[in-house]
Amino acid sequence: MAKHRTADWTWGADRISVADHAVTKSRGVFVRSIPILLPEHDQPRISETDEAAWLERAAARQRMHGFFKSVQLSLEERGIPVVNPLWGFAYHRSKPGADLALALAGIPVPRGVATKDPSHVQELIDEVGAVVYKPVAGGGRCRVLHPSDLETKSDRLGQAPCYFQELVPGKNLRVYTMADRVLTAFDIEADDVDFRGRETKISQFDLPPEIVQTALTAAEVLGLPFAGTDIKLCPDGRHVVLDVNPSPMFAALDRSVDGAIALGIIDHLLGATQ
Amino acid sequence: MSSIVVVRGGGDPTADLLSVAARRLGQHVQDIDLRIDRLTIDVTSDGATVRAGRRTLEPSLVFNRTEINGLGLSSGDGLKRQIATHWRDRHTQGREEQGLLLAVFEAWERTDVTLVNRTRAADMSLMPNSVVDRLVRMGEAVHRGKPTSPQTEVLICAGVPIAHRGATADRRHQALARRVADAAEFSLGAVRMSTGANVVVRGWTHRPLLEQWDNPEAVAVAIVAATANLDPDALHDVPPRYFVDDLGRN
């Protein structure tokens, strides 16, 4: 859809169309993502000093994104299955917000504090021991907080909040779900606390029923028919949800399971209207 | 102790007005200024605790005057609050602050706190086409271009018309303002409409500037009373320091 300009669209009470294609007659829509880009994402294309030019471009892009998000919401409100729905994506802009929603639904999540106050971080360390930190709004890497970090990085913390969570040891599971079923699950071994890009071995994993239930419920709570949920399976047998991704990457993993993930998405979109 | 919290993102006479009005109505008020106050959210398996510095906030009603949203970039105020040296980093910091505040508002929204407005109102303001689409499907006419006839503007809060300005607003305008508030998902806001035989929606905002309305102190009292279910005539004396000196009026 996004290759068309907003001016190419016509919008009526009965029909939304682009280039003579009535999108309101679609059987289903898959939305990869409609990202909000920050200057750091644009880095190769912007000069060091030109904030005004970037803001102008960003404002235009935000208006365009608002338009496409409006299309997405309006399709949902007309009963067309959309994977994933708009508000499910919105949850991903706040890790603690998503964790809170999960916790209130009885889903196990790590204890966490979002703050820019080092004293609150110290309280968390005193309570849980080892701690990791990650961006509050998602997108960046998760790192272990070393004892000296609070002192050496306190100035940086004072400038922007960060999300601190208890370090949960165990097996990294990535569970792909679609609506009420698990499409596939993987055990991802890595040489870093954040497995992304640091994978050393990936293998399919048979989930115990309680983790199946957790993954399905977590995705449902966050309004995500399709989700890639990261779960830690601890040595003592308990498990906690680290993240529920609304737009998980899956191309490489999907090849190893003969397209089970992509087929699951398509089956859902086609089947949902039958 | 239960209280009313007013969260503001920058200099905001409307936030001042609401804060003073709540005090005049006998309420305990905590002002949170995001330029100064450091908010923390603590997530446990039982829920969340929100703190401003060392103070735990346990409000029954929150006036959210920020532009925090889950779908877009930081607002101008949001960027001004950030203190990084390089402008590029201020945008990243603004995004992180949005993430924290989304969680804070989420925590309040998920308990018994009345949140005016929810962050969804700011999200919907980024998707005006969706609001128009909802109104059109309700059978309402929307023309957001330059007005060609007299207009009226209705200030609405919790479904209650609080005030109007411009041409006279009748029941049709009040009913339509409620429908726009529903479509745009705001509790407190203002709706501009044409007058005449066919009432047409001209625009709306979820962040009305009360200081631009006649008798803004009384309007603010009416808003707090309507939201907190209080008697708008039961006013208390408050120390002069709480009154707003400069409303930016001519």
Side-chain angles (χ1 to χ4, degrees):
Chain A
M1 294 198 306
K3 70 180 181 183
H4 295 285
R5 296 171 305 146
T6 55
D8 295 335
W9 291 74
T10 56
W11 198 315
D14 303 324
R15 172 188 163 106
I16 300 172
S17 58
V18 57
D20 292 333
H21 170 66
V23 290
T24 34
K25 290 191 175 171
S26 304
R27 291 182 65 181
V29 176
F30 179 74
V31 179
R32 179 71 179 95
S33 73
I34 305 177
I36 301 298
L37 296 181
L38 290 170
E40 65 192 53
H41 303 127
D42 274 347
Q43 209 157 347
R45 291 193 285 136
I46 54 177
S47 74
E48 284 292 306
T49 55
D50 206 357
E51 182 179 19
W54 185 84
L55 276 174
E56 194 176 325
R57 194 165 63 237
R61 197 159 48 199
Q62 181 151 293
R63 282 194 296 277
M64 186 182 75
H65 284 191
F67 179 86
F68 286 118
K69 284 166 181 164
S70 291
V71 171
Q72 181 180 354
L73 184 59
S74 296
L75 292 174
E76 290 172 31
E77 291 180 350
R78 285 167 166 79
I80 294 167
V82 177
V83 172
N84 273 319
L86 182 72
W87 301 123
F89 278 105
Y91 256 124
H92 207 55
R93 294 292 300 277
S94 173
K95 294 281 187 195
D99 280 358
L100 173 62
L102 295 172
L104 292 175
I107 306 281
V109 294
R111 174 96 164 71
V113 172
T115 188
K116 52 179 171 179
D117 187 333
S119 70
H120 292 314
V121 184
Q122 188 60 55
E123 286 170 8
L124 178 69
I125 294 169
D126 294 343
E127 187 182 323
V128 303
V131 163
V132 295
Y133 64 102
K134 58 175 80 166
V136 186
R141 294 194 70 80
C142 174
R143 293 182 168 87
V144 175
L145 186 74
H146 297 292
S148 61
D149 286 347
L150 261 191
E151 200 168 315
T152 58
K153 295 180 179 172
S154 65
D155 282 354
R156 206 165 154 202
L157 176 60
Q159 291 189 7
C162 197
Y163 192 32
F164 299 87
Q165 288 181 303
E166 66 173 308
L167 172 64
V168 182
K171 206 181 269 296
N172 297 307
L173 303 181
R174 163 59 69 92
V175 185
Y176 290 93
T177 54
M178 173 54 83
D180 57 357
R181 68 191 178 106
V182 170
L183 299 175
T184 185
F186 299 92
D187 171 6
I188 302 176
E189 294 177 29
D191 58 9
D192 190 64
V193 68
D194 189 333
F195 65 72
R196 293 171 297 178
R198 302 287 176 83
E199 302 89 345
T200 54
K201 186 182 173 193
I202 301 175
S203 47
Q204 266 194 285
F205 188 80
D206 284 332
L207 296 174
E210 63 272 21
I211 297 185
V212 168
Q213 193 53 52
T214 292
L216 293 175
T217 307
E220 186 184 2
V221 165
L222 299 186
L224 297 168
F226 176 55
T229 300
D230 294 325
I231 294 176
K232 275 278 188 188
L233 177 57
C234 308
D236 62 6
R238 73 186 175 105
H239 65 276
V240 297
V241 172
L242 298 184
D243 204 1
V244 186
N245 298 286
S247 187
M249 289 187 279
F250 61 82
L253 293 172
D254 203 28
R255 278 193 286 275
S256 72
V257 289
D258 297 327
I261 301 171
L263 287 171
I265 296 169
I266 292 165
D267 281 351
H268 174 81
L269 288 174
L270 296 181
T273 53
Q274 286 171 352
Chain B
M1 179 186 176
S2 157
S3 65
I4 293 178
V5 167
V6 180
V7 187
R8 73 191 69 203
D12 183 356
T14 295
D16 294 335
L17 284 159
L18 293 169
S19 177
V20 172
R23 286 185 169 89
R24 293 179 72 197
L25 287 163
Q27 303 300 297
H28 178 245
V29 180
Q30 291 177 285
D31 288 299
I32 301 297
D33 186 334
L34 297 178
R35 294 170 298 183
I36 301 162
D37 292 298
R38 288 180 165 192
L39 292 186
T40 291
I41 183 165
D42 201 331
V43 180
T44 70
S45 55
D46 298 327
T49 305
V50 177
R51 285 178 282 181
R54 308 304 299 176
R55 284 179 297 158
T56 299
L57 300 178
E58 294 177 302
S60 54
L61 167 63
V62 174
F63 285 104
N64 164 22
R65 288 288 302 169
T66 73
E67 294 181 76
I68 298 300
N69 67 81
L71 297 182
L73 296 162
S74 285
S75 65
D77 271 352
L79 291 175
K80 278 186 206 161
R81 289 194 293 272
Q82 311 310 324
I83 56 175
T85 311
H86 199 291
W87 67 267
R88 187 182 294 160
D89 298 330
R90 286 197 289 274
H91 287 270
T92 308
Q93 290 176 353
R95 179 174 182 265
E96 294 304 290
E97 185 199 54
Q98 281 217 128
L100 178 113
L101 288 160
L102 282 168
V104 166
F105 289 126
E106 172 87 21
W108 285 331
E109 202 175 321
R110 283 180 168 272
T111 50
D112 294 335
V113 180
T114 303
L115 186 55
V116 180
N117 282 309
R118 299 164 63 210
T119 54
R120 185 65 64 86
D123 290 331
M124 292 305 296
S125 76
L126 298 174
M127 299 189 297
N129 294 80
S130 277
V131 179
V132 172
D133 183 53
R134 287 174 174 179
L135 288 167
V136 168
R137 281 185 284 138
M138 288 178 195
E140 303 295 352
V142 182
H143 287 292
R144 290 190 296 147
K146 197 172 176 182
T148 54
S149 62
Q151 291 187 96
T152 186
E153 186 170 12
V154 172
L155 186 71
I156 189 165
C157 184
V160 179
I162 300 289
H164 78 272
R165 63 181 178 176
T168 304
D170 60 25
R171 283 185 179 177
R172 290 175 307 161
H173 296 101
Q174 295 178 1
L176 181 53
R178 284 193 196 97
R179 300 178 91 169
V180 174
D182 287 345
E185 301 196 38
F186 60 71
S187 172
L188 171 61
V191 182
R192 278 183 292 111
M193 293 158 281
S194 67
T195 55
N198 298 314
V199 177
V200 174
V201 178
R202 288 292 185 184
W204 61 88
T205 176
H206 69 290
R207 291 190 78 248
L209 303 177
L210 301 188
E211 62 272 24
Q212 295 178 354
W213 290 67
D214 290 340
N215 201 358
E217 291 88 354
V219 169
V221 166
I223 288 170
V224 176
T227 313
N229 201 20
L230 300 168
D231 178 359
D233 296 322
L235 295 178
H236 297 241
D237 289 333
V238 297
R241 70 175 184 276
Y242 286 127
F243 278 92
V244 182
D245 295 326
D246 179 11
L247 292 175
R249 286 173 291 182
N250 295 319

